[in-house]
Amino acid sequence: MKRPKKKSAPEKSAQDKPWWPYLLLAAAVVGVYWRSLSGGFVLDDRTLFRDSSSLSDLGSIGRGFTQDVGAVRKGSETVISSYYRPLFLALTTAYYQVVGGRPRPWHQASVALAVLVAWLAYGWLRHFGWSARLGFWIALVFSLHPAHTSSVAW
């Protein structure tokens, strides 16, 4: 005997899904981190994003899978640090090929990624059944939490 098919709720169209959380999340993240766009590089950013000769060498992407960050960026064959981050090295080397060593595009990319993460957090919460309003507030608090400041603003 076959079971009767359950009636599923009609699929919501893009017009039925609320757009306001995405707009407000983007505005909040950009508003909070806007001032970081005019900042320069700090601490080790000069080595990681501007001065290292490995940035202009696409071959350094492969070395990033066998060496640590310090060895690749400082041109050493020995381990200098305990940071094994091959995707970070690959992405920063590729991004350097596009924008060079100017700090503003790097900060713009950080803010854009922060907006994307806010949208993903909200979408994930909605996917698991949270209301649009509660999902928005949780994603907003997550996105603007002070723990993320160094990742976005520096």
Side-chain angles (χ1 to χ4, degrees), residues 14-91:
Q15 294 170 344
D16 296 334
K17 294 179 183 177
W19 55 267
W20 61 266
Y22 294 101
L23 180 65
L24 291 177
L25 285 168
V29 170
V30 170
V32 166
Y33 293 115
W34 181 261
R35 293 191 63 195
S36 72
L37 298 178
S38 61
F41 288 132
V42 296
L43 303 173
D44 61 350
D45 291 349
R46 289 172 192 84
T47 302
L48 293 173
F49 307 126
R50 188 186 70 194
D51 298 338
S52 175
S53 61
S54 68
L55 287 164
S56 57
D57 175 18
L58 291 176
S60 69
I61 292 174
R63 288 194 307 278
F65 287 89
T66 60
Q67 297 175 331
D68 69 318
V69 171
V72 173
R73 287 296 185 246
K74 294 180 180 174
S76 174
E77 293 298 323
T78 60
V79 173
I80 295 175
S81 67
S82 60
Y83 295 115
Y84 176 72
R85 298 183 179 158
L87 295 179
F88 166 80
L89 287 168
L91 290 173

Side-chain angles (χ1 to χ4, degrees), residues 21 25 118 121-123 125-126 130-140:
L25 285 168
Y122 173 75
L125 290 164
R126 292 290 290 145
W130 294 77
S131 70
R133 181 170 289 175
L134 187 56
F136 165 76
W137 286 109
I138 293 171
L140 182 68

